[in-house]
Amino acid sequence: MDMPLPDQRIVNARDGLIARLRGVLPADAVISDPAETRAYECDALAAYRCAPLAVVLPRTTAEVSAVLRLCSQMGVKVVPRGAGTSLAGGSFPTADCVVLGVARMNAVIETDYDNRFIRVQTGRTNLAVTGAVEADGWFYAPDPSSQLACAIAGNIAMNSGGAHCLKYGVTTNNLLGVTIVLMSGEVVEVGGPWSDAPGLDLLGVICGSEGQLGVVTEAYLRILPKPEGARPVLMGFSSNEVAGACVADIIRAGLLPVAIEFMDRPCIRACEDFAKAGYPDCEALLIVEVEGSPAEIDAQLARIKDIALRHDPVAYRESGSEEESRKIWLGRKSAFGAMGQIADYMCLDGTIPVSELPYVLRRIAEMSAAVGLSVANVFHAGDGNMHPLILYNANKPGDLELCEALGADILKLCVEVGGCLTGEHGVGVEKRDLMTVQFNPADLEAQLRVKDVFDPAWLLNPAKVFPLDVTASRRAS
Amino acid sequence: MTPLVLQPQSEAELGQMVRAAQGPVSLRGGGTRGVAYGPGTVLETAGLSGITLYEPGALTLVAGAGTPLAEVEAVLVAQGQRLAFEAPDLRRALQRQGVSTLGGVVATNASGPRRVQAGAARDHLIGVRFVDGMGTVVKSGGRVMKNVTGLDLVKLMAGSHGTLGVITQVAFKLQAVPECAVTLQTQVPLSAGLGLLRRALGSPFEVSGAAYGPFGAALRVEGMEASVRYRAAALKALLGGDWVETAGDALWAGVRDAHGLDDGALWRVSCKPTAAEGVVGALAGVAHQATFDWGGGLIWIAVQGVGDAGAALIRGAVAGVGHATLMRGRGAAAFAPEAAGVAALSRALRAQFDPKGILNAGIMG
Ligand SMILES: Cc1cc2nc3c(=O)[nH]c(=O)nc-3n(C[C@H](O)[C@H](O)[C@@H](O)COP(=O)(O)OP(=O)(O)OC[C@H]3O[C@@H](n4cnc5c(N)ncnc54)[C@H](O)[C@@H]3O)c2cc1C
Ligand SMILES: Cc1cc2nc3c(=O)[nH]c(=O)nc-3n(C[C@H](O)[C@H](O)[C@H](O)COP(=O)(O)OP(=O)(O)OC[C@H]3O[C@@H](n4cnc5c(N)ncnc54)[C@H](O)[C@@H]3O)c2cc1C
């Protein structure tokens, strides 16, 4: 992966920059010691590392504004950062940038149950948002698996999803308003605790903009009353095709489970070895979860069972207790950890039309055999968001490259069958150079025009999302 | 010679027409809904009609922007599915005739009572194609439910009222029509009624409609029969008082389409639900009628006998807690004035997408 050459003029002026940053921020908010900036050299796409010029950790919107105004005046690039859990290299620094982390901005500003919203500073972690309202019977719905660590800032920037988004939607469907600081330092309030924009839906394009448009410092989030209960059921099938058909039938029947998770044999094996969840030995496994009162859950599961039995499951286990529910989810939740035990892995995130599931799984198996790298599949089947995990050996020369090439081919396959490169992790640097597979020059140009409006000097989160050759002239000027 | 009305039959032809346009172009879906059209040569999207993909098993529909909403709804119903956001039919309220199109629905982000549970049109829109003000065809999104690839122009186009481009094709995610729906109604004064709606929305019983009007307070629950029965009973127990169960279809259609508000100017107010009473309270002394949807988050207000259609009173009361659009009537700008920062960004976006300033010119400010 290429990155543009750092701007030597800026790199050489590092000391002056740091002095001026200290001029606008409290002393402890500017980190310049290389030993301390090391923690900010990468995000969860840890194969790529680069030391920034400095890291700033402001506590208020006003401080964020001061930093951006200064960097803008000096022509210094800024990489916004939440918790650094991006799997796409979204918060990967450049050698000529300042990393602006919002982690210290984690306050709850306002909680309003009557109007069903919470207003937070965006450095607050996803789980801590639910944590703030849970005791009163409420929750914040989008639940990425990284929710213990990831910040609302990153969730908004990536438009993150989670296991339960089949029913509740992703971040953009649960976001009411933001305070965004533009690269110029200007603070703009977009949206608020009401529905609809009075004019253009700027919030819609800010969500998912991967730190390209501004730094989001505060957010109004929709909160929901907690359901009375939830219960998962686990089903095993003799082939991916049959499991895929079962998913399609559940959806077609109009049942709306909160989650339909899919695991294939390599993934089941690894999870079983790692977590001992007691999964059946089979080709494909589904975890379907429904919500409501005990009676509602019984009624829904009766329908789901009818459908499942038509597909001759090799196993069908309904949870009968909290403990059984925990066990059913245990393997799924430890999937990434389990993979990490047996090999290095790369996690893909393409989405496909649900109807293409069996075909795409078959093709992935063929491609993986041809290259000689194993692929395990674990994903959100209800909405077609796949997470193929390609296993490789980082210590074996050439293996990473082989893995990246296979990953690219799988993502191209996703686009070819009518899907997309990324369903929830974002483009970042990882999928940047594949954007031309999904978009033609005119499609991309329209996106660049939006960036031109918010960040005319192209200083925010450089060299991400858009292929470098496509943005070359804009970055140069 | 330029024809009086442009009627492109394909996206490519539309692109040529926009590229060749010397002056403003006024976009029309199927309807003829005066207020929100720009000046200039009329361009009708009716030729961009037809369903190009419908996969019931994947809950996905792709169709031309000129496709009549009614045609799509009929096709979906035959498969037991629907567009969950309940697009309003405002023909009666806006005193217009014609056929609502998918493009018009998207261009106005038209969303009905179920928004409180299922979201707005924008939340169900998964892809668009459009022709920008230079005649260039652009696509964003696609036909899959989860997609974060690149900037989300899909959301930006939703509710853009034709000022960023002419939408040519839209993709929606669909919902199965639930087997059962029950409406609960009770006659209580406004303040108590709005309080009940908010409490119901704050319960785990998945209310899919929460309105107040001449019919009193009304709540809707939908889903599997057993579940609906359970939740209706649970809501009654939670809220107390006397509730009657009704089928509710006519009631929700009336709320959705702003019925019973036929005189004078018509406002559509989006606000923080707890602010609703205050907004209407500001009209004390002025003849008016109001219907509240979304638990108070949406107010339809008809106002009679004031020169500015009630703009100063309504926009004054809603400042800081929402905004108001003038849907019918004169005397004030249709769209609420925006704060300076947002207005500048919006203007710059329009200048990028429509540098000649010809698409529905000036309607949004
Ligand atoms: C000022 C105003 C605001 C409105 N706001 C809302 C709202 O917030 N929520 C709501 O539920 N309903 C709203 N409506 C009602 C909405 O117009 C109808 O519900 C809509 O469905 C009409 O469809 P149509 O095909 O008749 O569209 P039309 O009446 O033909 O068009 C509606 C608007 O969209 C534009 N338009 C139509 N087709 C395209 C296209 N293919 N590409 C780009 N632009 C196009 C038109 O120029 C016009 O501005 C609004 C109406 C007006 C007049
Ligand atoms: C084990 C694991 C499991 C995961 N599971 C999921 C999952 O289930 N679903 C899912 O969607 N994702 C998942 N992710 C990916 C990741 O957690 C999400 O993308 C998350 O939203 C990133 O949040 P963050 O705070 O860590 O952001 P960061 O990594 O710090 O940044 C992410 C992006 O946001 C930008 N950004 C950060 N702060 C701001 C700001 N204040 N203003 C503007 N832009 C900003 C950055 O520049 C970057 O582009 C997972 C990651 C891991 C490691």
Side-chain angles (χ1 to χ4, degrees):
Chain A
M1 193 241 343
D2 291 333
M3 288 301 273
L5 288 176
D7 184 337
Q8 279 309 322
R9 189 182 52 88
I10 300 290
V11 173
N12 295 338
R14 176 172 182 268
D15 292 346
L17 167 68
I18 289 167
R20 291 187 64 181
L21 285 170
R22 290 196 198 285
V24 298
L25 290 176
D28 70 345
V30 183
I31 299 176
S32 59
D33 178 349
E36 288 180 60
T37 59
R38 188 150 307 138
Y40 300 88
E41 285 178 4
C42 69
D43 53 26
L45 186 67
Y48 301 110
R49 303 187 78 92
C50 175
L53 294 173
V55 177
V56 294
L57 300 172
R59 287 192 177 80
T60 64
T61 299
E63 288 178 7
V64 171
S65 165
V67 170
L68 291 179
R69 191 173 310 115
L70 175 66
C71 288
S72 177
Q73 281 161 6
M74 296 182 71
V76 176
K77 301 181 181 82
V78 173
V79 172
R81 183 179 175 104
T85 69
S86 170
L87 289 165
S91 44
F92 171 58
T94 57
D96 55 359
C97 87
V98 169
V99 167
L100 190 166
V102 294
R104 286 182 183 167
M105 302 181 62
N106 57 12
V108 172
I109 302 166
E110 187 183 359
T111 310
D112 184 337
Y113 297 126
D114 242 2
N115 292 302
R116 298 185 295 138
F117 73 83
I118 185 170
R119 187 178 189 199
V120 297
Q121 285 185 312
T122 55
R124 194 169 184 86
T125 63
N126 175 293
L127 200 60
V129 171
T130 287
V133 295
E134 206 171 18
D136 297 314
W138 294 72
F139 75 115
Y140 173 61
D143 59 341
S145 315
S146 51
Q147 68 183 153
L148 187 62
C150 67
I152 291 299
N155 292 178
I156 293 172
M158 291 312 199
N159 188 15
S160 301
H164 294 79
C165 64
L166 189 57
K167 176 167 176 190
Y168 296 110
V170 295
T171 304
T172 192
N173 312 113
N174 293 275
L175 179 67
L176 297 171
V178 293
T179 301
I180 184 171
V181 188
L182 306 184
M183 190 63 213
S184 62
E186 186 187 354
V187 180
V188 182
E189 302 286 342
V190 180
W194 49 81
S195 306
D196 294 325
L200 291 181
D201 187 356
L202 301 184
L203 189 62
V205 76
I206 288 169
C207 190
S209 62
E210 303 202 17
Q212 292 295 315
L213 304 186
V215 175
V216 176
T217 57
E218 294 172 12
Y220 286 96
L221 306 172
R222 170 68 74 216
I223 49 173
L224 301 174
K226 259 199 291 194
E228 290 176 272
R231 200 186 306 159
V233 50
L234 179 140
M235 5 179 150
F237 295 94
S238 55
S239 75
N240 289 337
E241 278 81 358
V242 179
C246 183
V247 171
D249 284 356
I250 291 173
I251 292 174
R252 185 69 184 87
L255 297 162
L256 188 68
V258 274
I260 306 181
E261 298 289 299
F262 189 119
M263 294 163 78
D264 69 358
R265 178 178 276 284
C267 188
I268 301 168
R269 278 270 177 76
C271 292
E272 194 46 37
D273 290 347
F274 180 73
K276 311 263 180 306
Y279 285 174
D281 184 28
C282 58
E283 288 303 313
L285 195 149
L286 295 179
I287 297 174
V288 181
E289 181 160 281
V290 298
E291 285 181 348
S293 68
E296 286 177 282
I297 289 176
D298 287 341
Q300 289 179 77
L301 286 183
R303 298 275 178 94
I304 288 171
K305 187 171 184 178
D306 272 352
I307 294 171
L309 292 185
R310 272 186 254 141
H311 295 278
D312 294 324
V314 299
Y316 186 92
R317 286 185 210 157
E318 218 172 281
S319 163
S321 66
E322 284 289 316
E323 175 56 21
E324 283 176 34
S325 298
R326 199 190 58 80
K327 275 207 110 168
I328 287 179
W329 275 112
L330 177 68
R332 166 65 185 91
K333 290 199 169 156
S334 49
F336 288 17
M339 289 300 156
Q341 288 284 305
I342 52 177
D344 299 300
Y345 70 85
M346 180 170 144
C347 173
L348 304 180
D349 172 47
T351 307
I352 57 166
V354 188
S355 47
E356 300 290 339
L357 215 56
Y359 169 73
V360 170
L361 287 172
R362 201 164 55 239
R363 288 284 299 129
I364 290 177
E366 288 165 12
M367 291 156 82
S368 125
V371 182
L373 290 178
S374 313
V375 178
N377 283 289
V378 48
F379 56 90
H380 317 300
D383 46 34
N385 187 193
M386 309 193 61
H387 290 317
L389 304 174
I390 308 178
L391 310 188
Y392 71 103
N393 181 351
N395 295 321
K396 186 170 158 197
D399 232 28
L400 173 63
E401 290 71 19
L402 210 56
C403 165
E404 288 184 334
L406 175 58
D409 284 342
I410 293 176
L411 292 183
K412 285 178 193 165
L413 171 66
C414 291
V415 175
E416 195 183 294
V417 301
C420 65
L421 297 172
T422 170
E424 59 180 14
H425 294 168
V427 178
V429 287
E430 192 203 17
K431 281 152 287 209
R432 183 191 69 193
D433 298 328
L434 289 172
M435 286 289 275
T436 49
V437 175
Q438 190 175 329
F439 296 111
N440 68 28
D443 303 335
L444 283 174
E445 174 66 19
Q447 297 180 30
L448 304 188
R449 285 169 192 268
V450 174
K451 165 86 168 166
D452 286 339
V453 166
F454 286 80
D455 177 24
W458 281 69
L459 292 172
L460 261 180
N461 215 7
K464 312 274 169 67
V465 186
F466 309 112
L468 294 182
D469 53 340
V470 172
T471 58
S473 62
R474 284 171 155 99
R475 285 181 293 113
S477 60
Chain B
M1 206 187 89
T2 322
L4 284 175
V5 176
L6 298 171
Q7 293 174 319
Q9 297 303 306
S10 70
E11 189 179 70
E13 190 186 355
L14 168 63
Q16 284 162 15
M17 287 171 171
V18 174
R19 221 167 300 135
Q22 300 295 325
V25 178
S26 179
L27 310 184
R28 294 282 191 285
T32 43
R33 308 188 179 197
V35 202
Y37 308 108
T41 311
V42 169
L43 186 152
E44 290 179 354
T45 62
L48 307 171
S49 178
I51 295 170
T52 42
L53 178 142
Y54 175 32
E55 250 186 41
L59 297 175
T60 334
L61 174 110
V62 183
T67 314
L69 177 62
E71 182 185 321
V72 169
E73 285 176 336
V75 169
L76 295 182
V77 149
Q79 296 289 327
Q81 298 186 339
R82 67 185 180 190
L83 292 166
F85 55 88
E86 262 184 316
D89 175 353
L90 297 179
R91 279 176 291 191
R92 173 170 152 191
L94 301 182
Q95 296 153 1
R96 304 284 163 178
Q97 281 170 2
V99 184
S100 227
T101 61
L102 288 190
V105 167
V106 168
T108 57
N109 188 29
S111 316
R114 201 174 290 110
R115 178 178 198 154
V116 288
Q117 190 213 22
R122 76 186 292 267
D123 298 299
H124 298 264
L125 186 67
I126 53 181
V128 289
R129 294 176 64 90
F130 62 94
V131 168
D132 72 10
M134 292 156 286
T136 309
V137 177
V138 177
K139 72 162 182 299
S140 181
R143 51 168 285 210
V144 288
M145 307 228 177
K146 263 172 89 185
N147 186 345
V148 298
T149 323
L151 296 185
D152 192 349
L153 305 186
V154 175
K155 298 279 182 312
L156 191 60
M157 293 308 290
S160 62
H161 290 268
T163 64
L164 296 177
V166 187
I167 300 162
T168 57
Q169 191 184 68
V170 296
F172 281 113
K173 86 176 161 201
L174 310 169
Q175 188 189 57
V177 180
E179 64 186 32
C180 177
V182 159
T183 295
L184 300 175
Q185 276 176 254
T186 189
Q187 276 295 346
V188 282
L190 175 65
S191 189
L194 290 175
L196 290 172
L197 303 185
R198 291 197 301 268
R199 276 180 67 201
L201 287 169
S203 79
F205 306 123
E206 303 199 353
V207 169
S208 74
Y212 183 91
F215 44 79
L219 297 168
R220 178 174 62 184
V221 279
E222 297 172 294
M224 288 169 56
E225 170 122 31
S227 165
V228 168
R229 291 277 149 238
Y230 166 76
R231 285 181 281 143
L235 278 168
K236 284 192 227 170
L238 174 77
L239 302 173
D242 293 322
W243 294 85
V244 291
E245 279 189 24
T246 61
D249 290 354
L251 185 149
W252 295 109
V255 171
R256 182 192 68 196
D257 302 343
H259 284 177
L261 300 163
D262 299 325
D263 295 333
L266 180 65
W267 289 88
R268 183 179 179 281
V269 179
S270 255
C271 66
K272 194 157 123 171
T274 48
E277 218 183 323
V279 171
V280 176
L283 289 170
V286 175
H288 71 276
Q289 303 79 40
T291 301
F292 301 77
D293 197 359
W294 305 348
L298 174 69
I299 323 171
W300 290 98
I301 314 175
V303 181
Q304 296 91 35
V306 258
D308 69 348
L313 291 173
I314 291 176
R315 289 201 165 131
V318 84
V321 289
H323 52 85
T325 309
L326 179 58
M327 303 290 289
R328 179 185 74 213
R330 297 187 189 286
F335 291 94
E338 296 171 306
V342 167
L345 288 169
S346 301
R347 255 196 318 276
L349 281 170
R350 282 195 287 269
Q352 286 283 359
F353 282 82
D354 178 22
K356 293 191 279 181
I358 55 171
L359 299 180
N360 272 359
I363 69 166
M364 290 182 95

